[in-house]
Amino acid sequence: MGAEQSMALRSMGQVDGKPVEFKYIREENWADDTSKQGLSYRLEDTNVVTTISGSDIIAILPVNIHLPKDYTLLYVKPPQKDASSEAVSKKSKGVTTFQSLVATNPPQQFVHDYAPGGQSCWQLRIDEAGRSAWPNLHIVISTKSGTGNADAHFQHLLKPLLAHLGQHEGSGYEIHRTESERSITELVVSTILPRARKGIQQAILLLSGDGGVVDLINALFTRGGQARVTSVDFGPTYEKPNICLLPMGTGNALANSIGLLRDHTLGLSYMLRGVHRSLPIFRAAFSPGARLVTAFGTQEEALPIDEHHTNVLWGAVVCSWGLHASLVADSDTEDYRQYGAERFQMAAKEALFPADGSEPHRYRGKVSVLRKSRHEATGVPTHDRETQPESKDELAWETLNGEEHAYTLATLVSNLEEGFMISPNAKPMDGRLWLVHFGPLDGKKIMEIMGLAYQGGKHVEDSAVGYEEIEALRIHFDGRESESKWRRVCIDGKIVRVESNGWVELRKERMDVVDLVGMA
């Protein structure tokens, strides 16, 4: 019991009209790890065997209602790894390409496993009025995400796939290439939000990193900065856009946390076989003097303001202060970005082992968390208590021990990058907020803790690390940090500089504005 089992399913058929024998190797827990299974076929005339890994398969679709045994198999060809040029490999210059074939009479279990389930974002839908209509399909290509391969992946992967589905630019979808940090905001204000308010269904294929998602969310809430944000909903006819993320960023926290990168299709298997789920979001409120850092740290701009005259920003991944926020900010340069996710490790070495031999910085501030009251005798003043409207649970603000910190990070997701499991208890899109925290330590110990995060999240077992579910987070600086670089807060990769006597407060957002396509 408990051991993985596999079975081989066979059938006689054809591939592109040539007689073959199919063999489908299926693992018992095939959906969790598709790399261990796949479809192979042996040509009868030459005995040549070709195998398509389950990790490369996008979907299998019927060809025609009049040809019930014929299916189109859609799959990808991952880029060839160049062992002789590690530098090129690290910069992710390879591009995944689209492939297809016509399979006649493949094993029916294979068809069952890889056929779309009926809710994927490209399929025909019915709106509330009962009208059948294709959703408005937007292709957003973030030209500067990660190492800049988004456009190449559109040309070689997504565009031919959509053509195979009968969708073409102009008639089937619109292309939007980002030209600046405001490109997604402008698209939302001009097109996506007005259509959503009219009840028009829209699908957004986002070739981007986490930054594209946070830009879209913030643009929806702020109306592109055209007006103050209010707490009222988006109107009775508002139809949530759904996002299908094709991860092209550096860390790809959302994609890694919901499993998009468990195969080689870069999210296309989810696009065709996934389901819509509401994307949990948090809201970060800032003190009046906080400013958004832009242009690789060289410029600043005002944050959106809500009806209470409070600076606000939304996110779906992480809010951090301390080491994590510093690494994100310090590594956000054009020189660092060419190294992909490795830029964080490069910046970490500089932060943890300063050239002058000093210890890592001790981040000074007051950190408080809102928790469900553990018992009545908590010693928490009445004015620091709240009641949760949905459950009537009593909540209490409590201050973490000490005024010196190294790492303070609240997150809705499990992974910040591939293999880096910052919050092992987090489940895909469950809306629970988790805090990871530890105080000042030497560089070697911090590196050890971060290394444990790459071992399935074992860092949370270290006695130096605090890990718990919270309802909200507050950080007050109260003049404790004179240099602004120690008062930088990270919201999903965006950096906010808080003033010397400023603060930030993080809470879960109750409004539901977008769906994200994930696997069932």
Side-chain angles (χ1 to χ4, degrees):
M1 293 293 291
E4 288 191 6
Q5 298 181 0
S6 62
M7 58 181 176
L9 303 168
R10 301 173 186 268
S11 65
M12 302 302 296
Q14 296 180 347
V15 167
D16 293 336
K18 298 179 180 179
V20 300
E21 179 187 24
F22 290 108
K23 182 170 77 170
Y24 174 37
I25 302 297
R26 186 181 193 270
E27 297 292 329
E28 185 176 18
N29 298 317
W30 70 275
D32 296 326
D33 185 0
T34 56
S35 65
K36 296 180 180 179
Q37 68 175 37
L39 180 72
S40 64
Y41 58 90
R42 179 183 58 82
L43 291 170
E44 285 192 356
D45 57 349
T46 64
N47 282 328
V48 173
V49 176
T50 300
T51 299
I52 302 172
S53 169
S55 292
D56 298 339
I57 297 172
I58 300 171
I60 188 166
L61 305 174
V63 170
N64 189 293
I65 192 172
H66 301 296
L67 300 170
K69 293 186 177 182
D70 286 2
Y71 297 87
T72 301
L73 177 60
L74 312 176
Y75 61 105
V76 302
K77 181 180 180 182
Q80 296 295 317
K81 293 183 179 180
D82 186 356
S84 64
S85 179
E86 190 173 348
V88 171
S89 176
K90 284 181 178 179
K91 294 181 183 181
S92 303
K93 293 298 183 183
V95 174
T96 301
T97 57
F98 173 73
Q99 308 285 316
S100 68
L101 58 80
V102 175
T104 302
N105 197 40
Q108 282 304 298
Q109 185 64 55
F110 176 76
V111 174
H112 177 271
D113 288 346
Y114 287 95
Q119 269 197 332
S120 52
C121 73
W122 63 275
Q123 285 187 309
L124 197 65
R125 304 216 204 126
I126 297 179
D127 63 19
E128 292 182 356
R131 298 184 298 264
S132 296
W134 279 91
N136 283 261
L137 186 58
H138 304 279
I139 314 294
V140 179
I141 302 172
S142 182
T143 56
K144 294 185 179 180
S145 285
T147 53
N149 278 344
D151 210 343
H153 277 100
F154 169 72
Q155 296 294 338
H156 296 285
L157 180 60
L158 182 56
K159 184 177 181 179
L161 170 61
L162 291 171
H164 206 93
L165 299 173
Q167 300 302 300
H168 302 277
E169 183 179 356
S171 59
Y173 57 85
E174 300 175 44
I175 297 178
H176 314 273
R177 289 180 172 84
T178 60
E179 303 295 337
S180 71
E181 292 182 351
R182 287 193 56 82
S183 293
I184 290 179
T185 298
E186 292 165 358
L187 170 63
V188 169
V189 172
S190 66
T191 305
I192 292 174
L193 183 57
R195 293 181 186 180
R197 283 175 163 172
K198 293 177 181 178
I200 298 173
Q201 295 180 338
Q202 297 174 96
I204 304 166
L205 303 186
L206 188 57
L207 286 80
S208 169
D210 298 318
V213 178
V214 71
D215 283 345
L216 194 149
I217 292 169
N218 277 277
L220 285 170
F221 275 108
T222 65
R223 285 69 162 165
Q226 292 182 342
R228 280 187 176 153
V229 183
T230 65
S231 56
V232 299
D233 65 19
F234 286 57
T237 61
Y238 181 78
E239 181 76 28
K240 287 189 296 180
N242 79 74
I243 301 171
C244 184
L245 182 60
L246 278 61
M248 297 288 152
T250 301
N252 295 310
L254 263 179
N256 279 295
S257 296
I258 68 173
L260 277 181
L261 294 174
R262 281 188 294 195
D263 63 22
H264 300 152
T265 69
L266 297 179
L268 294 182
S269 59
Y270 280 52
M271 186 186 100
L272 267 67
R273 295 188 279 124
V275 297
H276 311 140
R277 294 181 181 173
S278 177
L279 177 62
I281 297 168
F282 59 73
R283 172 190 176 111
F286 290 90
S287 49
R291 304 280 290 179
L292 180 65
V293 179
T294 61
F296 299 112
T298 62
Q299 299 176 24
E300 294 181 356
E301 62 183 51
L303 289 163
I305 299 175
D306 68 11
E307 72 269 35
H308 304 295
H309 302 279
T310 302
N311 290 328
V312 289
L313 203 60
W314 286 264
V317 177
V318 64
C319 171
S320 71
W321 167 63
L323 180 61
H324 177 267
S326 292
L327 297 186
V328 173
D330 292 341
S331 65
D332 191 21
T333 67
E334 293 193 79
D335 287 340
Y336 266 124
R337 277 187 170 271
Q338 66 178 317
Y339 297 103
E342 289 189 15
R343 66 188 174 101
F344 301 123
Q345 297 179 27
M346 296 166 67
K349 291 179 181 179
E350 296 179 16
L352 298 179
F353 305 100
D356 62 4
S358 61
E359 65 177 10
H361 183 72
R362 294 169 177 254
Y363 295 83
R364 296 170 177 85
K366 177 184 175 182
V367 179
S368 304
V369 296
L370 185 66
R371 304 184 177 111
K372 293 180 181 179
S373 296
R374 295 172 182 172
H375 48 75
E376 287 302 314
T378 59
V380 179
T382 303
H383 65 270
D384 281 343
R385 294 178 182 271
E386 298 182 11
T387 300
Q388 198 169 40
E390 297 87 351
S391 62
K392 305 301 182 183
D393 288 337
E394 188 176 69
L395 307 176
W397 282 101
E398 298 182 37
T399 301
L400 298 184
N401 292 333
E403 294 184 355
E404 293 185 338
H405 312 269
Y407 198 92
T408 302
L409 183 147
T411 183
L412 291 167
V413 304
S414 59
N415 289 57
L416 295 185
E417 61 181 69
E418 184 178 6
F420 189 75
M421 184 175 283
I422 192 64
S423 179
N425 290 349
K427 305 301 179 186
M429 296 192 283
D430 67 356
R432 298 171 71 185
L433 186 64
W434 295 87
L435 177 72
V436 181
H437 170 268
F438 55 85
L441 299 167
D442 62 51
K444 185 177 179 181
K445 178 60 177 178
I446 293 175
M447 287 290 281
E448 177 187 326
I449 290 173
M450 294 295 96
L452 289 172
Y454 285 99
Q455 299 177 34
K458 290 184 178 179
H459 63 295
V460 301
E461 301 172 9
D462 192 293
S463 60
V465 178
Y467 179 56
E468 62 177 307
E469 184 181 4
I470 62 173
E471 298 301 317
L473 171 72
R474 283 180 189 159
I475 302 170
H476 287 266
F477 293 101
D478 296 334
R480 294 177 176 89
E481 288 286 9
S482 58
E483 291 189 63
S484 64
K485 71 176 183 177
W486 308 127
R487 290 182 265 108
R488 293 176 297 185
V489 173
C490 172
I491 304 292
D492 288 13
K494 292 185 179 297
I495 300 298
V496 178
R497 179 194 57 77
V498 182
E499 71 271 35
S500 177
N501 288 305
W503 51 267
V504 58
E505 179 172 309
L506 181 77
R507 291 178 181 265
K508 290 181 275 190
E509 174 59 61
R510 294 191 177 122
M511 292 177 63
D512 183 12
V513 297
V514 293
D515 284 343
L516 186 66
V517 177
M519 196 57 77

